[in-house]
Amino acid sequence: MEYKTSEIEVKLEDTVFLVKIVKGKRKTVTLKIISGAELLVKAPSAFSNTRLKELLEKKKKWILEHASVFTEEKNPFLSIRYIDGSKVYYMGKAYEFHVKYQEPDGEGKTEADIRKTNERISVETIDTSEEYVKKQMQTWYKNQARNEIIKMIQKYRPYIGEKIGTIRIKSQKSRWGSCSELGNLNFNWHLILLPESLMEYVVVHELCHLRYLNHSEDFWNCVKQILPDYKERETELKKYGGLLYN
């Protein structure tokens, strides 16, 4: 049986879902929540995206309730607090988090001093409020994510051999990564919180899109050639969908 696959983004109240659509010779429409940020819809070939959006809006309450439960049960990062004595994450490992007040240096410096050891991440800052510390940590995380992702790209690019455009680290609302027709790669900074194997999977996934800008069999063979266990990594990654909305 021949199938056609596609993806769209649909916003239901304040949540943006990535909807994966599989169309083929079938008479019914099925809807499945595969993570706190992703839906899977199987539908007849003639079922339009307009009708699909109407269906999702109609089932909005059910989707949001079940996606929330899925996320709370699966995602260990939802309770992260950027306050002294809490725990934060870096490449899948939990670290003690410490916040210390730092006297102004008289030169107008506003950036926090952030340091990571084997067991803790410490922040010295002129403003210890959680909102301010969170913003400083997010900036630091983005820089760390760029460094780690570029290392992985350099490692796996030889397998692909395609030209890469611009690499951006962003706060995407429904995707861990994306690839444009121009070869530009976008990655979500939240990847730096995940285990290295999952960050690696996303990087390889987007690198293979440089050659195949779809999810065809050839695309998945490209991913499998580099990461034979990609299916296990993909399944594990779905546990962290709700992290995109923190």
Side-chain angles (χ1 to χ4, degrees), residues 20-39:
K20 298 184 177 181
I21 308 165
V22 179
K23 292 184 180 180
K25 292 182 179 180
R26 56 183 299 133
K27 296 181 179 180
T28 60
V29 178
T30 61
L31 168 64
K32 181 179 180 180
I33 298 172
I34 56 178
S35 81
E38 293 178 283
L39 306 176

Side-chain angles (χ1 to χ4, degrees), residues 156-162 200-201 203-230:
Y156 291 109
R157 183 181 178 183
Y159 290 89
I160 307 299
E162 302 290 335
E200 191 174 50
Y201 165 73
V203 170
V204 169
H205 186 112
E206 300 310 328
L207 284 175
C208 285
H209 274 318
L210 292 171
R211 183 178 295 175
Y212 306 104
L213 201 58
N214 52 45
H215 286 105
S216 62
E217 183 177 351
D218 286 337
F219 166 79
W220 289 115
N221 285 337
C222 174
V223 177
K224 184 177 181 180
Q225 183 179 9
I226 302 172
L227 300 176
D229 64 341
Y230 81 91

Side-chain angles (χ1 to χ4, degrees), residues 29-233:
V29 178
T30 61
L31 168 64
K32 181 179 180 180
I33 298 172
I34 56 178
S35 81
E38 293 178 283
L39 306 176
L40 173 64
V41 174
K42 296 182 179 180
S45 299
F47 198 77
S48 68
N49 286 351
T50 299
R51 291 177 63 192
L52 171 59
K53 290 178 182 179
E54 291 173 352
L55 174 65
L56 297 179
E57 184 64 28
K58 183 177 179 180
K59 294 185 173 293
K60 176 174 65 177
K61 182 178 179 180
W62 180 86
I63 293 171
L64 292 174
E65 287 179 352
H66 286 76
S68 175
V69 171
F70 187 103
T71 298
E72 290 173 2
E73 290 180 348
K74 300 290 186 179
N75 190 345
F77 296 148
L78 288 178
S79 60
I80 292 176
R81 297 289 305 276
Y82 294 94
I83 57 177
D84 187 60
S86 65
K87 287 188 180 295
V88 295
Y89 293 83
Y90 185 90
M91 297 189 76
K93 179 182 175 180
Y95 287 79
E96 296 177 9
F97 189 60
H98 295 278
V99 180
K100 181 179 179 181
Y101 175 72
Q102 181 184 57
E103 293 284 349
D105 60 6
E107 298 181 0
K109 178 183 176 182
T110 58
E111 297 85 2
D113 183 12
I114 301 175
R115 301 182 183 182
K116 181 178 74 70
T117 65
N118 290 334
E119 302 296 333
R120 65 170 59 185
I121 294 178
S122 303
V123 179
E124 292 190 6
T125 173
I126 60 173
D127 184 345
T128 59
S129 66
E130 183 174 7
E131 182 179 359
Y132 182 82
V133 172
K134 180 178 180 178
K135 289 181 179 178
Q136 294 291 309
M137 282 296 296
Q138 287 182 353
T139 298
W140 181 77
Y141 273 137
K142 287 177 182 178
N143 292 332
Q144 299 301 311
R146 171 174 289 279
N147 293 338
E148 295 298 331
I149 287 170
I150 287 178
K151 288 179 185 177
M152 292 179 181
I153 288 175
Q154 291 172 339
K155 178 180 179 180
Y156 291 109
R157 183 181 178 183
Y159 290 89
I160 307 299
E162 302 290 335
K163 182 179 179 181
I164 297 176
T166 303
I167 300 171
R168 295 187 178 91
I169 308 300
K170 305 174 67 176
S171 296
Q172 294 168 287
K173 292 298 184 182
S174 61
R175 297 183 180 219
W176 293 111
S178 61
C179 175
S180 75
E181 293 181 355
L182 298 176
N184 297 326
L185 300 178
N186 297 318
F187 295 98
N188 198 301
W189 71 262
H190 287 91
L191 284 168
I192 196 65
L193 305 181
L194 304 183
E196 183 176 358
S197 63
L198 303 187
M199 182 189 299
E200 191 174 50
Y201 165 73
V202 173
V203 170
V204 169
H205 186 112
E206 300 310 328
L207 284 175
C208 285
H209 274 318
L210 292 171
R211 183 178 295 175
Y212 306 104
L213 201 58
N214 52 45
H215 286 105
S216 62
E217 183 177 351
D218 286 337
F219 166 79
W220 289 115
N221 285 337
C222 174
V223 177
K224 184 177 181 180
Q225 183 179 9
I226 302 172
L227 300 176
D229 64 341
Y230 81 91
K231 287 187 178 180
E232 288 80 1
R233 301 191 195 207

